[in-house]
Amino acid sequence: MQTELYDVIIVGGGPAGSSAALYTSRAALRTLVIDKDPHAGALGMAHSIANYPGVPDALTGMQLLELMKRQAVSFGALYLRDKVTGIDPEGPEKTVFTVSGKFYRAKSLILATGAMGKSSEIPGEKKLVGLGVSYCATCDAAFYKGRVVAVYGKNREAVEEALVLCRFASKVMLLCPGGKLAVREDEAELLNKAENVEIRYHSKVLSVNGERGVESLTLEGVADPLPVEGFFIYLSGSSPVLDFIGGLLEISGCGCLKVDREFATSAPGVFAAGDMLCKEIKQAVIVAAEGCHAALYAGRFLRGTLKPKSDYN
Ligand SMILES: Cc1cc2nc3c(=O)[nH]c(=O)nc-3n(C[C@H](O)[C@H](O)[C@H](O)COP(=O)(O)OP(=O)(O)OC[C@H]3O[C@@H](n4cnc5c(N)ncnc54)[C@H](O)[C@@H]3O)c2cc1C
């Protein structure tokens, strides 16, 4: 059975994929976006987005995604709800396979499946996401002005985010699961200089408690719950969603998809954008810009004007 041949298939309809779809469809490229579930993406889970340029009134991540999708659809992009299970990225016609048993063909692909969170969950965490549990101080610190919050983790991200929070919160407790922070001494020293940061080593959070918002944390070996209004978790970070790639594209040593300066992967005509790529800072505006880049370079590829491969990053 021969299926329709799209100019571009975009895998993932988060901010990276939808921004790419906006640009490819606006360029009159036949665009299909395949997304398994917008609620399952990072932006779809975000309770309140107040830092997306041009959107002054805070929206939920889902509302922002819906606006992005509406704009792309208005230029002709088609959205399909299905989970991509595999790709064939070789040759002039690429194939995308889905869990429903169907397959789709395109002259180019843009992959934008994001990164998924850690698998282990603290009791109470899921119920209170967006109600005091957060994974992004850069996004949410301003909501905690004058409040007591806890940061849980020992990595660089936890330290960075504690330093962001201490400019807003009245007190930041950095709960370190081990006896040492996994950062350089000079980075740890910055925390010591911040008057409202207290580091508690060997802290294991057993549960996050509260009904309509975070009220306290239960710590191992501590009788009384620790009262906090915000709980920022940085335990093991998130890993790029690459399972459907099946080793067919080059992956970096850090486990993210490799692209060059044109957002091109190791297979000609296959581009990628968003949190599935290596990055230190994960923000919607950054991945939307990457989606734009990937779309414009995919357009050049389709016109035959893409420059020869540049270095990967
Ligand atoms: C709780 C939380 C709050 C945040 N708050 C903010 C904020 O306030 N401001 C900000 O700028 N950033 C915020 N971020 C970061 C921002 O949401 C991410 O950087 C951004 O969403 C990444 O975009 P993406 O398109 O790469 O991936 P995602 O947003 O994760 O989208 C990926 C999409 O791909 C789909 N997908 C995955 N696998 C498949 C597959 N096999 N087949 C088909 N579809 C698939 C997913 O369902 C999803 O819809 C927040 C993140 C989190 C987790």
Side-chain angles (χ1 to χ4, degrees):
M1 188 187 69
Q2 195 69 314
T3 60
E4 183 168 359
L5 182 65
Y6 290 92
D7 290 316
V8 188
I9 292 179
I10 298 169
V11 184
S18 287
S19 158
L22 163 64
Y23 277 85
T24 54
S25 55
R26 183 72 170 146
L29 298 173
R30 289 184 52 73
T31 301
L32 174 68
V33 181
I34 307 179
D35 189 278
K36 67 171 183 186
D37 178 6
H39 293 90
L43 192 61
M45 283 191 252
H47 183 68
S48 175
I49 305 290
N51 56 6
Y52 196 81
V55 183
D57 301 319
L59 299 176
T60 65
M62 276 308 296
Q63 287 170 325
L64 184 56
L65 273 180
E66 198 45 52
L67 286 177
M68 291 180 180
K69 177 179 171 184
R70 208 169 87 200
Q71 200 174 0
V73 167
S74 76
F75 294 132
L78 298 172
Y79 275 68
L80 176 78
R81 180 74 77 93
D82 207 342
K83 180 179 173 169
V84 172
T85 50
I87 55 169
D88 179 356
E90 296 305 329
E93 290 182 12
K94 326 292 182 190
T95 311
V96 173
F97 304 93
T98 65
V99 75
S100 61
K102 297 192 175 127
F103 67 92
Y104 301 87
R105 297 179 311 128
K107 296 176 201 164
S108 67
L109 303 179
I110 297 176
L111 310 178
T113 46
M116 69 182 177
K118 61 194 169 48
S119 50
S120 62
E121 196 177 279
I122 299 165
E125 175 182 341
K126 197 168 177 186
K127 185 177 94 176
L128 293 165
V129 171
L131 299 171
V133 168
S134 172
Y135 309 97
C136 177
T138 308
C139 314
D140 295 338
F143 299 124
Y144 294 89
K145 209 166 184 175
R147 298 176 177 194
V148 178
V149 301
V151 171
Y152 191 28
K154 63 176 182 178
N155 56 20
R156 189 151 174 260
E157 200 181 2
V159 171
E160 289 267 4
E161 297 282 79
L163 289 168
V164 170
L165 275 163
C166 73
R167 293 183 10 241
F168 296 90
S170 60
K171 182 164 187 180
V172 178
M173 268 166 295
L174 178 55
L175 306 175
C176 175
K180 198 173 176 322
L181 294 167
V183 292
R184 293 193 319 259
E185 263 179 38
D186 56 314
E187 290 172 318
E189 193 48 38
L190 291 172
L191 287 174
N192 295 331
K193 282 190 190 146
E195 284 174 3
N196 58 345
V197 177
E198 178 189 333
I199 309 175
R200 293 193 181 188
Y201 293 101
H202 301 291
S203 289
K204 183 171 180 200
V205 178
L206 298 181
S207 69
V208 44
N209 316 312
E211 281 309 313
R212 291 199 195 88
V214 170
E215 292 166 13
S216 66
L217 304 173
T218 303
L219 303 180
E220 189 177 68
V222 180
D224 294 328
L226 179 71
V228 293
E229 289 178 88
F231 184 43
F232 290 76
I233 307 174
Y234 304 97
L235 278 185
S236 53
S238 54
S239 345
V241 177
L242 305 170
D243 50 348
F244 65 97
I245 288 172
L248 297 173
L249 300 175
E250 283 187 33
I251 307 295
S252 81
C254 314
C256 47
L257 191 59
K258 263 191 179 180
V259 290
D260 64 12
R261 281 193 293 272
E262 280 85 37
F263 290 84
T265 68
S266 53
V270 181
F271 298 80
D275 283 359
M276 71 186 317
L277 308 182
C278 296
K279 53 172 55 70
E280 269 201 24
I281 300 175
K282 292 182 175 140
Q283 287 287 279
V285 66
I286 292 176
V287 304
E290 290 181 357
C292 162
H293 272 100
L296 296 179
Y297 288 122
R300 287 187 188 179
F301 169 80
L302 292 169
R303 289 192 297 277
T305 57
L306 192 68
K307 282 188 283 176
K309 273 211 149 315
S310 57
D311 292 339
Y312 285 113
N313 56 29

